[in-house]
Every structure is written in structure tokens, then in C-alpha cells.
């Protein structure tokens, strides 16, 4: 189990603003109910994800933005640090299925020279939150409302980046929400991008049942220079997150996720 350093002041200010904004319209019990309901949607009712957004109520959107997104940020930042992606030399980052932009912001804000970010998501409320996330970390970002598969396939065809290895691709907790057909089409696009040398950060939950396709993706991507690993980080959560976690009945010990990352040129470029 790896240890995780304390979050920086920008994270603390972002978290405070999230909690102030998203908890003010809910009684504490209502907010905790929404946190539990969103967790259940991802775990017990996963079969619905491809047909129905998990954040289909104001309470679930608040729970995602103010509780789960900060946890994703902390986990993604730890993976970036541990996997060497801080040295990937990214000058542009495309966050596919960005949600509230926690993963892209975690990667971008850890770099010596933060890149320009493009966040892609179908949900307008997510993109509104993404703008606020980037502003909180002093990042330069723009949003695209659309489908992550369409955007990934467009990147593959984009002549302006075809021979550039400095465009990073982030997929944070998003591939597991796709239906099988869409996920099958996405893999060749991501494989083409990694073969072209574009750094990759793909993060999913540790639970095998949430990503039964994982081994197939690892088998496809590792020959192009990607590395797969299960990560567990020993961390004391910020007190506000820890209080929500305990009150919701989770009582997690540390943070964890599985990731496929690549920061090296793909085989096709190194021949």
C-alpha cells in the first residue's frame, strides 16, 4: 500500500467551495441519503448505467460533485505521482467523459507546466462544474458537450496531433459506464492513440465485477507500452470528507483504484 501526501491548498479551497455550494440546499440527512443512493446505483444497480445516467436527481449530482469527485481527485493525483505521469511532458490534455473534471485537473495540476485541457461529457451540469474545477486550480480548460467515443475517434483522425506525443488522454471512471458495443469500439481508438505515443491515464474501480472487460483492455494496451496496476493508498481523508464517509457508513481505509497508464512512446514510433 502506497502512502499519499497531504492535498495542497488549492484542493482544500476547492473542497470547501464544493461542500458549501452543494450541501446548502439539503439537510445533512438528505445529503447522506443521496451519497448512499449514488453508491448503490454504481454497485447494486450497475446494469442500468448504460441506459440511465447515475446522477439523475439533484441530490445525486450534489453527492457526486461534493463527495465522490474529490475522492477521485485524490486517487488520480496519487496515481499520477506513483506512475510517473508527472514526467510525461503533456502540453495538452483531453479528458474523455470528464464528469466534473476531477481526474483531468488532478493530472494537469501536478505537472510542472499545466497543459491546456479539453473536457468532454454528455451532461451539461458536469461541464458547468468542470469549468469551476479548472478555475479553482488555475487551469486553462474548455468544454465539449458530446460523446467520448466520438471524440476519441476524432482524435485518431486529427492530423494536427497524429505525430505529436504530448497530447495526454484521460479516462477516469468512465469506461465502466459504457455499454459493451460502445466499449468495444472505443478500445481500438485508445490503442491507436497509445501506439502513436500519446500518454494515457485510464482509471477504474478496484472491484473486478465493475469492469469484467479489464483484462482484455490490459492485454490490448500493454504491448504498446502501457502499464496496468492495482493501486492502494494509505491516506487520512480531509476531515470533511472523512465525516461524510463515516456518516454514510462507508468507513473506508485509504483510497484505491486500478489504472492503465502510459507515458512512453508506443512501439510503432520507437522502431
Amino acid at each position: 500500500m502506497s502512502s499519499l501526501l497531504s492535498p495542497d491548498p488549492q484542493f482544500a479551497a476547492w473542497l470547501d467551495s464544493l461542500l458549501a455550494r452543494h450541501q446548502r440546499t439539503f439537510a445533512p440527512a438528505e445529503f447522506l441519503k443521496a451519497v448512499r443512493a449514488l453508491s448503490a446505483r454504481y454497485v447494486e444497480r450497475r446494469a442500468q448505467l448504460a441506459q440511465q445516467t447515475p446522477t439523475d436527481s439533484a441530490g445525486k449530482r450534489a453527492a457526486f460533485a461534493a463527495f465522490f469527485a474529490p475522492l477521485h481527485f485524490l486517487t488520480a493525483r496519487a496515481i499520477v505521482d506513483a506512475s510517473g505521469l508527472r514526467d510525461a511532458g503533456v502540453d495538452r490534455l483531453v479528458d474523455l467523459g470528464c464528469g466534473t473534471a476531477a481526474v483531468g485537473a488532478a493530472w494537469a495540476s501536478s505537472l510542472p507546466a499545466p497543459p491546456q485541457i479539453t473536457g468532454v461529457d454528455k451532461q451539461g451540469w458536469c461541464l458547468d462544474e468542470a469549468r469551476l474545477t479548472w478555475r479553482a486550480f488555475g487551469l486553462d480548460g474548455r468544454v465539449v458537450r458530446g460523446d467520448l467515443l466520438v471524440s476519441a475517434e476524432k482524435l485518431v483522425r486529427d492530423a494536427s496531433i497524429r505525430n505529436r506525443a504530448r497530447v495526454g488522454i484521460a479516462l477516469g471512471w468512465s469506461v465502466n459506464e459504457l455499454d459493451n458495443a460502445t466499449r468495444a469500439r472505443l478500445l481500438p481508438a485508445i490503442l491507436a492513440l497509445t501506439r502513436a505515443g500519446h500518454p494515457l491515464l485510464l482509471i477504474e474501480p478496484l472491484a473486478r465485477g465493475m469492469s469484467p472487460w479489464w483484462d482484455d483492455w490490459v492485454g490490448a494496451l500493454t504491448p504498446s507500452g502501457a502499464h496496468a496496476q492495482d493501486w492502494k493508498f494509505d491516506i487520512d481523508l480531509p476531515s470533511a470528507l472523512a465525516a461524510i464517509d463515516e456518516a454514510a457508513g462507508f468507513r473506508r481505509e485509504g483510497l484505491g483504484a486500478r489504472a492503465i497508464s502510459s507515458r512512453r512512446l508506443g512501439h510503432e514510433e520507437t522502431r
Side-chain angles (χ1 to χ4, degrees):
M1 179 177 283
S2 302
S3 61
L4 182 65
L5 297 178
S6 299
D8 57 37
Q10 286 181 317
F11 174 87
W14 176 58
L15 177 60
D16 286 345
S17 69
L18 287 174
L19 293 171
R21 230 168 3 97
H22 289 288
Q23 288 185 315
R24 65 188 175 194
T25 57
F26 299 96
E30 292 175 325
F31 184 78
L32 290 173
K33 181 179 179 181
V35 169
R36 296 188 195 100
L38 185 55
S39 177
R41 177 67 62 84
Y42 277 110
V43 180
E44 289 94 348
R45 304 188 185 101
R46 304 200 41 74
Q48 302 174 4
L49 291 180
Q51 292 78 36
Q52 181 181 13
T53 172
T55 52
D56 56 0
S57 70
K60 293 189 188 77
R61 290 190 288 274
F64 182 88
F67 179 67
F68 290 101
L71 295 178
H72 287 173
F73 180 100
L74 291 172
T75 307
R77 171 65 70 84
I79 292 172
V80 167
D81 290 348
S83 63
L85 281 172
R86 294 184 68 175
D87 303 318
V90 171
D91 57 21
R92 179 183 166 197
L93 180 60
V94 180
D95 192 348
L96 297 170
C98 66
T100 64
V103 172
W107 189 358
S109 63
S110 73
L111 299 175
Q116 182 186 59
I117 310 173
T118 299
V120 180
D121 204 282
K122 288 183 177 181
Q123 300 187 69
W125 79 269
C126 283
L127 299 178
D128 291 340
E129 287 289 331
R131 293 185 183 97
L132 296 175
T133 299
W134 293 327
R135 186 182 306 164
F137 289 94
L139 299 169
D140 177 16
R142 72 181 189 94
V143 301
V144 173
R145 186 167 187 175
D147 182 82
L148 69 84
L149 171 62
V150 172
S151 294
E153 293 179 334
K154 184 177 179 180
L155 283 172
V156 174
R157 299 191 300 268
D158 189 344
S160 68
I161 73 163
R162 189 170 297 145
N163 297 315
R164 294 178 61 214
R166 297 176 65 84
V167 179
I169 309 298
L171 287 154
W173 287 273
S174 56
V175 179
N176 77 86
E177 296 186 15
L178 303 176
D179 60 62
N180 291 335
T182 302
R183 190 162 45 242
R185 285 183 56 192
L186 178 63
L187 177 55
I190 300 304
L191 180 57
L193 292 167
T194 58
R195 283 176 171 169
H198 299 291
L200 171 70
L201 176 60
L202 189 160
I203 306 177
E204 292 293 346
L206 280 171
R208 285 274 177 179
M210 299 181 75
S211 52
W213 46 270
W214 184 259
D215 289 343
D216 292 336
W217 277 58
V218 171
L221 291 168
T222 51
S224 67
H227 173 71
Q229 185 165 338
D230 290 0
W231 297 97
K232 293 183 179 180
F233 301 99
D234 186 10
I235 177 178
D236 291 327
L237 292 179
S239 58
L241 291 181
I244 296 170
D245 190 75
E246 181 174 2
F250 300 144
R251 295 181 177 84
R252 73 190 72 225
E253 295 181 2
L255 296 172
R258 59 186 48 200
I260 302 174
S261 61
S262 176
R263 62 187 179 90
R264 299 187 299 274
L265 291 177
H267 287 187
E268 292 185 5
E269 286 201 355
T270 56
R271 290 175 182 170

